[in-house]
Amino acid sequence: VSHLQWFNQSKLDDQFKQRVMRMARWQLANNLPHVVADFFDATLDHYKFAVNAAIVDHQFTTPEGSVHLAAAGIKPTRRQQPPVPSLGCVPLHQLPPGCVITTRTQADAAAVNASRRASKASPWATAAPMDPQQAAAQQLQLEWLQRGPGPEIEQLPLQSFAQVLQQLQRMLLLAQPRLSAAFSMYQRHCRDVDHWQLVDTELSELHRPAQLGAFLALQRLHLENIMELVHCDWSIKAGNIAETLINPLEPGALEEEVALDDDAMEPATHRVNLHGPPVTPEQAMHSVQLISLLMQQYLRDKVETGLTLYRDFWCQYGIPQGSRVAYAGYPDSLIPDDPDKPLTVALGDANLAWRATHGPLEAWGSDLFCPSPPPLFQLQLLVQGHKVQLVPSLNDLQLAVLSVFNGIIEAGQSIEDLGQKAKNPTSEAMLQPMAFDDALAEQLRSDILATLDINKAGPAALLTSFEAIQHELDAAGGPGGHLAAWTAEEHCLEETETEIERLLQLAKSVNARTDGSVWFKLVAIDVTQAKSALISQALAAKHALQTWLQDQWHGDNQAIVARFEEITTAINQEPDTTENMNALTKYLLTVEQELPTIQQQIDASCRTFAVLESSHYQLQDGPAEVFWQLRHWPNIIHGEVAAARDRLAGYRDKYRLQLQADQQQLQADLLQLQEDVKEFTKLGGLPAVEERLTAVQDLEEKLEELAKRSELYQAREDIFKHPKTEYPLLQQISHAFAPTASMWRMAGELSRHLPDWMDGPFTEIDAEAVAANIDIWWCSSAKLLKQLTGAPLEVAVAVSQQLQDFQQHIPLITALRNPGLRDRHWEKISVAVGCVVKADAGD
């Protein structure tokens, strides 16, 4: 093993060294660094030897490795375990006095086994001569078979070897003075911490009712203090005893006190002076294991006592099954009738006289219940985010109570396991005196939970009562959503008035539902914030509904006032035309028909004002001022309408006379236009075509203007209920002017297009448009030649001749501007005419 090469990585790092130095006294290790270095070097050598030895032993587990190593003269490093009797052990101390005990030695057993194998050999085999040892073994076997085990041996029961060995080791520990002194010293240390309890049930420093956090802090501080004392006055001292047993003092060493080293980072390990002769390492190790078991049992007793005291503490808040004490603090409406158990008898220490003389009590806590002892916890009923909740919640309260219970169990698991520490100095194992799911722990925990469940009924009912109010508020969408939901459903004024009253009564019911504080047997609940929040929500919803109603009311009032102002402005306008006068007359009729509807709107506004006033809503100055203006407008508008009627009568006479004068002027303008048209129809001269077109446009505009005036005057005659006047001269002028005007327009268009067609780019000519225009103009010229006379006829003949001359080019233009022509077609045309021709050649 020592010659094997080392390949493994060493785990002896600085962190591990520091842990070992703390276990062996930190200050002493720092003062003797050369000793520490030698120790760790030796430790590393032992570690390497152990690893290599394990590798060698592992090779013996395989047949090939075992044969190979045996051939090399190598033996396993692991020690062979002593044999254990498979059948058991004979209790020799139970034999009667005088009995002779014969034992088989290992040599005797080997001889007997050899003779048995020889006796089982084949009868046909030749008998070999026996040596003296075989002969003696055969003789011994015959004597045993003849004598037998004897009656005394047969009557003794066999015992398990492990059981006998355990009993022997136990008796040996008690027989050792050094070990007895160790156990005696351990018992003295146990008596030092007997009077300490892991839970504070007196709560002398807690003012009740207290906050849950204060209760937890008190229990946590008490448990930490007790466990610190247990650690210092018991655990460390027990560890010192174990350290002394495992590593005894050298002869002549001074006795050291079990104390704490102030300079060390952790409690120092001191060894104590145990008198008596030294013990074997196996006995010392077994003693430490036994001390560890005793410590675990002692811790279990302490934990059981703490849990039992904690359970008894909560039992004082228990309520017997069927007792009406459970309804203390309730309003009378929620207490069930029970004639067999009158309330005045069952409530015990409740305020009986108050309930008997001040009934019925409809508010939570109105019975002024004062239990003894007073409630332990102070809770608050809060409304947060439109959610009613107890702070801390009943579930948090239960978890906190159980956390103290579990903390006691967990504290018992914070003591170091000396037995595991003795086996492995680096072990961090802790004693496990009681598991969280231990049967006793489960029973005690269930008792506490039963008490808490009984005491949670009252606060839960109070919470449910306030949740019902919050649900009622949330059912309509809450303070903000209530208005949106209400307006979306388009309720009438009467329904809105009822809803405002309901919200007001809901706020009043919240205030009357409970006192500021409600006491139950275990908890006292402050409901001030919840009451204020719910009342604020109800009043906020009511105020929002009232404000919305005011805004709607104010908007409607503004619309009515604006309508009155619009009517007043419209009927006071001065009509500047007959049409405006007629429109104002019709508008007055519409206003007179609209006034009853507006009066109905004013009446509805008055009813809304009554609703706002009866609900004690403080109107804003603007809406109030508009409302009082609205009340005066009906009288004002009736006067304005009457005055407008009188003004319209005067305007009607004025515009009747103006119509007569306009009609006379229209007759004179028609006669003048007739003379102008007659002179124009005598003009000719094709070169002056542009000048003639300008004259045609002027005459047409005058003719159109006079036609519009005639239509206007006829419409005004309808307004005044006069017979309609006809203007035949207008039709005569139009009929006489039409042929001449058509001729000059055709001549103007031809004169503008003909140069482009004849001399312009051939590729820009639209053959279809040219053909269509020429056809239209040719037909028109043929008709005009029949209608015109004099100079205009000469112009028409000249235009007709131009059209006739251009018509001969139409087929060629149409053929050459055919979009289907290709290069081969142009080549054929070029051959036919004797020169190169193409439509896009620029000619």
Side-chain angles (χ1 to χ4, degrees):
V1 170
S2 61
H3 287 79
L4 288 178
Q5 293 184 3
W6 175 256
F7 296 101
N8 295 58
Q9 182 180 0
S10 175
K11 300 296 183 180
L12 192 61
D13 53 7
D14 292 338
Q15 183 178 2
F16 178 81
K17 291 180 180 180
Q18 291 177 3
R19 292 181 58 185
V20 175
M21 290 169 65
R22 292 192 183 97
M23 294 168 55
R25 295 187 62 180
W26 178 266
Q27 185 177 5
L28 183 60
N30 288 329
N31 294 335
L32 301 173
H34 60 283
V35 177
V36 174
D38 294 340
F39 171 79
F40 284 121
D41 291 338
T43 302
L44 182 59
D45 293 338
H46 288 302
Y47 175 69
K48 293 180 178 180
F49 185 89
V51 172
N52 289 338
I55 295 173
V56 173
D57 290 339
H58 178 72
Q59 294 181 6
F60 275 100
T61 60
T62 61
E64 296 81 4
S66 178
V67 172
H68 175 72
L69 294 176
I74 300 176
K75 297 181 180 181
T77 61
R78 187 178 303 170
R79 294 181 180 180
Q80 299 295 330
Q81 296 293 335
V84 176
S86 59
L87 297 180
C89 299
V90 178
L92 301 180
H93 64 279
Q94 297 182 10
L95 291 175
C99 290
V100 178
I101 301 175
T102 303
T103 61
R104 296 182 184 178
T105 64
Q106 185 174 4
D108 295 338
V112 171
N113 292 332
S115 64
R116 287 180 178 176
R117 288 194 298 269
S119 63
K120 292 181 180 180
S122 174
W124 303 103
T126 304
M130 292 186 296
D131 57 8
Q133 185 179 2
Q134 292 179 349
Q138 187 175 7
Q139 182 64 30
L140 181 60
Q141 181 183 13
L142 293 176
E143 291 177 0
W144 283 349
L145 295 176
Q146 292 175 2
R147 185 172 57 204
E152 294 82 358
I153 300 300
E154 292 178 350
Q155 295 175 0
L156 295 177
L158 295 178
Q159 294 183 353
S160 170
F161 175 78
Q163 181 179 2
V164 175
L165 182 60
Q166 185 178 8
Q167 292 174 357
L168 180 60
Q169 291 174 344
R170 187 182 300 113
M171 289 187 295
L172 288 176
L173 292 177
L174 296 177
Q176 294 291 336
R178 186 178 182 85
L179 300 181
S180 178
F183 286 113
S184 177
M185 183 178 295
Y186 167 75
Q187 292 298 329
R188 288 200 307 270
H189 297 329
C190 290
R191 288 193 295 270
D192 293 339
V193 296
D194 277 343
H195 61 285
W196 293 335
Q197 300 299 335
L198 299 180
V199 64
D200 183 7
T201 57
E202 298 297 331
L203 303 180
S204 57
E205 300 179 3
L206 195 67
H207 178 70
R208 306 186 189 190
Q211 298 295 328
L212 180 60
F215 170 79
L216 292 176
L218 181 64
Q219 294 293 349
R220 181 170 55 253
L221 180 61
H222 173 81
L223 186 59
E224 289 176 355
N225 293 336
I226 293 298
M227 291 309 300
E228 183 177 359
L229 294 174
V230 169
H231 182 67
C232 295
D233 291 351
W234 180 66
S235 176
I236 292 180
K237 293 179 180 181
N240 292 335
I241 295 172
E243 176 67 17
T244 304
L245 290 174
I246 298 299
N247 301 310
L249 291 171
E250 296 295 334
L254 295 179
E255 180 178 358
E256 298 179 357
E257 295 293 335
V258 179
L260 293 178
D261 190 344
D262 296 334
D263 297 332
M265 297 176 62
E266 296 183 359
T269 303
H270 295 272
R271 284 180 270 182
V272 298
N273 192 8
L274 298 177
H275 299 284
V279 296
T280 63
E282 290 78 7
Q283 290 177 330
M285 180 64 71
H286 185 69
S287 299
V288 173
Q289 298 291 333
L290 184 56
I291 290 175
S292 178
L293 294 175
L294 292 175
M295 291 178 67
Q296 179 163 314
Q297 183 59 44
Y298 180 78
L299 277 177
R300 180 177 178 85
D301 294 339
K302 298 294 290 184
V303 171
E304 287 182 0
T305 303
L307 296 180
T308 303
L309 288 175
Y310 194 60
R311 187 273 312 271
D312 296 341
F313 168 78
W314 290 106
C315 286
Q316 65 179 326
Y317 293 99
I319 300 175
Q321 186 176 4
S323 173
R324 300 187 75 190
V325 179
Y327 297 103
Y330 279 64
D332 289 347
S333 59
L334 297 180
I335 299 178
D337 296 332
D338 191 352
D340 297 334
K341 294 181 180 179
L343 187 65
T344 57
V345 176
L347 284 180
D349 57 356
N351 201 339
L352 305 181
W354 179 269
R355 184 176 286 275
T357 56
H358 290 79
L361 303 178
E362 295 302 330
W364 285 89
S366 57
D367 61 347
L368 302 184
F369 177 59
C370 300
S372 179
L376 180 59
F377 295 120
Q378 175 71 55
L379 307 183
Q380 278 189 304
L381 189 65
L382 302 179
V383 178
Q384 298 176 343
H386 303 291
K387 181 179 180 182
V388 183
Q389 56 187 350
L390 286 170
V391 178
S393 65
L394 296 177
N395 186 48
D396 292 341
L397 176 64
Q398 176 175 306
L399 292 177
V401 171
L402 293 180
S403 69
V404 177
F405 184 91
N406 295 330
I408 298 173
I409 299 177
E410 187 176 356
Q413 300 174 354
S414 63
I415 302 299
E416 189 176 39
D417 189 346
L418 298 181
Q420 295 296 328
K421 188 76 171 179
K423 294 180 180 179
N424 182 10
T426 63
S427 173
E428 297 180 357
M430 299 295 174
L431 294 176
Q432 301 294 325
M434 179 179 289
F436 289 100
D437 56 353
D438 187 86
L440 177 61
E442 293 289 348
Q443 178 60 43
L444 296 176
R445 190 183 289 111
S446 64
D447 294 342
I448 295 175
L449 287 176
T451 301
L452 293 177
D453 289 341
I454 294 175
N455 283 276
K456 288 194 304 184
L462 176 63
L463 176 63
T464 302
S465 177
F466 275 77
E467 286 178 339
I469 301 175
Q470 184 64 63
H471 179 72
E472 187 174 355
L473 290 170
D474 293 340
H482 174 269
L483 179 61
W486 185 264
T487 55
E489 296 175 0
E490 299 182 357
H491 293 276
C492 63
L493 179 63
E494 290 74 13
E495 293 174 341
T496 303
E497 180 181 12
T498 303
E499 181 64 14
I500 292 175
E501 181 63 23
R502 185 188 72 83
L503 293 173
L504 178 61
Q505 295 303 322
L506 183 60
K508 293 180 178 179
S509 68
V510 173
N511 189 48
R513 186 174 294 263
T514 178
D515 288 346
S517 179
V518 182
W519 278 29
F520 298 97
K521 192 171 181 63
L522 178 61
V523 299
I525 301 179
D526 181 8
V527 298
T528 305
Q529 192 274 344
K531 287 177 59 176
S532 176
L534 292 178
I535 291 174
S536 299
Q537 289 186 34
L539 294 181
K542 168 181 168 292
H543 182 77
L545 193 57
Q546 290 174 318
T547 303
W548 169 80
L549 184 61
Q550 174 198 251
D551 295 342
Q552 296 295 318
W553 172 68
H554 179 52
D556 295 340
N557 292 344
Q558 286 181 318
I560 297 174
V561 171
R563 179 57 181 158
F564 277 137
E565 293 175 349
E566 179 185 357
I567 292 173
T568 303
T569 302
I571 63 179
N572 282 290
Q573 290 180 354
E574 299 293 334
D576 54 354
T577 62
T578 303
E579 288 75 19
N580 290 340
M581 179 199 70
N582 185 53
L584 183 58
T585 302
K586 294 180 179 179
Y587 183 75
L588 279 177
L589 292 175
T590 304
V591 168
E592 290 176 347
Q593 296 174 356
E594 185 181 0
L595 286 178
T597 303
I598 297 178
Q599 185 61 45
Q600 293 178 359
Q601 296 175 354
I602 295 174
D603 295 339
S605 176
C606 294
R607 290 194 297 272
T608 303
F609 172 77
V611 170
L612 293 173
E613 187 178 27
S614 62
S615 63
H616 306 288
Y617 181 74
Q618 183 66 36
L619 290 175
Q620 299 177 3
D621 294 340
E625 183 179 354
V626 171
F627 174 70
W628 293 116
Q629 291 178 0
L630 178 66
R631 297 295 302 273
H632 294 87
W633 264 107
N635 295 329
I636 297 174
I637 201 66
H638 284 294
E640 294 289 343
V641 170
R645 285 288 182 190
D646 295 339
R647 290 195 301 274
L648 284 174
Y651 283 117
R652 191 174 186 84
D653 295 337
K654 172 184 175 181
Y655 288 121
R656 184 183 295 110
L657 296 176
Q658 183 178 350
L659 175 61
Q660 294 175 359
D662 290 342
Q663 287 178 329
Q664 293 175 1
Q665 182 63 38
L666 176 61
Q667 290 291 347
D669 292 342
L670 286 174
L671 292 174
Q672 181 62 41
L673 180 61
Q674 185 179 25
E675 291 297 327
D676 293 342
V677 168
K678 184 180 296 183
E679 292 296 327
F680 181 77
T681 56
K682 296 178 181 179
L683 299 176
L686 184 60
V689 62
E690 295 296 332
E691 182 181 353
R692 300 291 184 267
L693 284 175
T694 303
V696 168
Q697 292 177 355
D698 292 340
L699 292 175
E700 286 180 342
E701 290 176 357
K702 291 180 180 179
L703 186 61
E704 183 179 1
E705 190 267 336
L706 293 177
K708 291 181 178 178
R709 285 171 58 187
S710 67
E711 294 176 356
L712 175 63
Y713 298 155
Q714 289 175 345
R716 289 178 177 178
E717 287 176 340
D718 292 338
I719 292 175
F720 292 112
K721 307 298 182 184
H722 292 173
K724 181 181 295 186
T725 301
E726 300 293 341
Y727 301 96
L729 184 59
L730 185 63
Q731 298 294 332
Q732 295 173 5
I733 295 172
S734 176
H735 182 73
F737 181 65
T740 304
S742 298
M743 185 270 296
W744 285 113
R745 278 195 295 271
M746 181 179 63
E749 291 178 0
L750 181 61
S751 64
R752 285 193 296 270
H753 287 90
L754 191 60
D756 294 336
W757 294 343
M758 296 299 295
D759 302 323
F762 185 75
T763 56
E764 295 182 2
I765 296 176
D766 186 350
E768 294 182 357
V770 170
N773 290 332
I774 293 299
D775 290 341
I776 294 173
W777 294 338
W778 178 257
C779 295
S780 298
S781 65
K783 185 184 297 183
L784 292 175
L785 291 175
K786 298 177 182 178
Q787 297 175 349
L788 297 175
T789 58
L793 178 60
E794 295 176 357
V795 175
V797 171
V799 171
S800 178
Q801 185 61 41
Q802 289 179 348
L803 291 173
Q804 185 176 2
D805 294 342
F806 187 78
Q807 278 183 339
Q808 61 182 340
H809 305 300
I810 294 297
L812 181 60
I813 293 174
T814 302
L816 294 180
R817 291 297 298 150
N818 187 347
L821 291 177
R822 297 293 181 266
D823 292 340
R824 64 179 182 276
H825 301 137
W826 290 109
E827 293 175 357
K828 292 181 179 180
I829 296 175
S830 299
V831 173
V833 299
C835 64
V836 178
V837 178
K838 196 171 184 180
D840 57 354
D843 296 333

